Amino acid sequence: MAIEQTAARILCVVGARPNFMKIAPIMRAFNAPGSGLQASLVHTGQHYDAAMKHAFFEQLHIPEPDVDLGVGSGTHAEQTAHIMLKFEPVLDAQRPAAVLVVGDVNSTIACALVAVKKGIPVIHVEAGLRSGDRGMPEEINRILTDQLSDLLFTTEASAADNLEREGISRDKVHFVGNVMIDTLHYNLASATPSAHTLAEAGAAFTQGYGLLTLHRPSNVDDADVLRRLLTELAGISHETPLVFPVHPRTRARISEAGLDALLSDANILLLPPQGYLEMLGLMRDARMVLTDSGGIQEETTALGVPCITLRESTERPITVAQGTNTIVGTDAAAIRKAYREVMDLGGKAGRQPEHWDGQAAERIAVILARWCADGRAA
Ligand code: UD1
């Protein structure tokens, strides 16, 4: 008589907006019949606004979290500590075979640290990315989470080299591709057309627009940097109108720095944070994207849309080497030069990086199920 293998219970964690598009295909792959896995979901509540959470859960068909820790905002120490305190009893109650974390936000490191101290293996999806800039809170989260992880899934080849340099055994590392790009492929046909989102925007926007996002602390928390960026971007908007979905922290910093006026006579359309399908449509239809986001550098590469990155470094170098990304920094002349190159020469065409094919979550499920069946999980 065949002995039926029980599915390994994996507790998956999400906390902030960039986690949601990564977890959606993972939950789907793990909970597919015959995967050998059974996923439950904890939401830490790091992002709690409807625009930052609900739209994503609904649009991406992420199951309602089994547990919502409801931590909300705070300093980095407060937020990380609150997540840890609230996550510990959940782990005690659930005793999963492993905890899976994605990306590099405070929820990622907080839950990984709690799990590893309880002897529960940690799985990190999107491991090994490094900007080399320890001033970024995400870089600290990446380095520490990778050190704590038992199984590490990577999106590009450079990640394995970074991990090896930090003493992490190659046996633990698997190059599977990019789960965020799984979500992009899965949803592209349902993306909300930009014409729909921009219906009220006025005629200028129908001739082509740039899409702008800004939220990195290094760009928005320093009033001088923020003024320099917005001044240059307002100048560009007179030639190419800009659509700017504004992250809550950026909205607050613009007001605190007294910079609202800078945007008032510019051709910049300010929007609230957009849902996933609206943002996907805005990116797909844009002439170019100007951003300091990590994920958008990858999504524009997958879409073949030129991306001008308003940061000094990237933890996703494949988007520059093979994709459509150009790292420009925050210097006004450099931004203007990159903008002109896109306008005059069309920008980088790029090609699809290896394994960015919509199948990354399935690869993870197969490797993880085998790993659990080998008795490596708790
Ligand atoms: C976090 C992540 C960052 C990610 C970004 C995407 C860390 C260290 N950073 O940064 O990597 O790119 O999310 O959005 O985890 N706020 C709201 N509503 C919300 C959430 C936040 O109003 O639902 C406001 C609060 O004023 C809060 C501020 O935004 O203080 C910052 O939120 P927080 O989660 O601390 O960090 P992010 O800047 O969003």
Side-chain angles (χ1 to χ4, degrees), residues 274-288:
Q274 295 294 292
Y276 181 78
L277 296 176
E278 290 78 9
M279 195 65 187
L280 188 54
L282 285 171
M283 280 191 283
R284 179 195 57 196
D285 299 344
R287 182 113 186 228
M288 74 189 73

Side-chain angles (χ1 to χ4, degrees), residues 25-270:
I26 291 174
M27 296 296 289
R28 204 161 40 242
F30 287 12
N31 286 335
S35 74
L37 302 168
Q38 186 198 333
S40 61
L41 185 65
V42 170
H43 177 39
T44 66
Q46 178 174 344
H47 283 175
Y48 44 90
D49 280 359
M52 303 292 277
K53 185 210 158 196
H54 295 297
F56 291 82
F57 272 71
E58 278 160 30
Q59 292 185 343
L60 301 176
H61 305 289
I62 302 169
E64 260 310 295
D66 299 272
V67 182
D68 190 335
L69 305 180
V71 296
S73 298
T75 66
H76 284 266
E78 286 167 348
Q79 194 172 59
T80 309
H82 283 148
I83 296 168
M84 291 179 70
L85 286 171
K86 293 201 160 174
F87 188 56
E88 183 168 38
V90 174
L91 268 193
D92 287 339
Q94 296 208 4
R95 300 301 309 175
V99 167
L100 180 145
V101 294
V102 297
D104 55 16
V105 301
N106 288 340
S107 303
T108 309
I109 176 63
C111 294
L113 188 50
V114 175
V116 76
K117 293 272 185 91
K118 290 191 166 289
I120 298 175
V122 174
I123 302 152
H124 187 203
V125 174
E126 199 189 89
L129 297 180
R130 297 290 181 269
S131 67
D133 174 4
R134 288 199 177 209
M136 283 178 81
E138 294 83 0
E139 184 78 350
I140 307 299
N141 295 342
R142 292 180 196 119
I143 293 168
L144 296 180
T145 304
D146 287 338
Q147 284 295 330
L148 302 178
S149 295
D150 298 273
L151 195 54
L152 299 93
F153 292 109
T154 61
T155 53
E156 60 171 90
S158 71
D161 301 333
N162 295 333
L163 293 169
E164 189 163 38
R165 209 175 314 115
E166 293 171 17
I168 293 169
S169 161
R170 285 240 174 202
D171 310 344
K172 296 181 179 178
V173 180
H174 299 265
F175 173 37
V176 290
N178 194 322
V179 288
M180 201 184 62
I181 303 306
D182 289 2
T183 292
L184 184 144
H185 285 292
Y186 193 82
N187 290 287
L188 192 53
S190 324
T192 306
S194 59
H196 188 274
T197 309
L198 302 178
E200 314 284 310
F205 287 80
T206 59
Q207 307 301 314
Y209 62 88
L211 179 65
L212 170 65
T213 82
L214 282 179
H215 75 282
R216 290 256 91 75
S218 58
N219 280 345
V220 305
D221 288 358
D222 180 327
D224 290 337
V225 176
L226 187 56
R227 181 179 302 104
R228 183 169 79 231
L229 279 169
L230 292 180
T231 304
E232 183 56 26
L233 292 161
I236 285 174
S237 77
H238 293 301
E239 181 179 341
T240 302
L242 298 178
V243 178
F244 184 14
V246 192
H247 186 285
R249 68 179 293 128
T250 308
R251 170 84 61 182
R253 297 295 181 269
I254 290 172
S255 296
E256 284 160 21
L259 298 174
D260 295 279
L262 211 49
L263 302 174
S264 61
D265 72 335
N267 230 342
I268 300 184
L269 177 69
L270 302 178

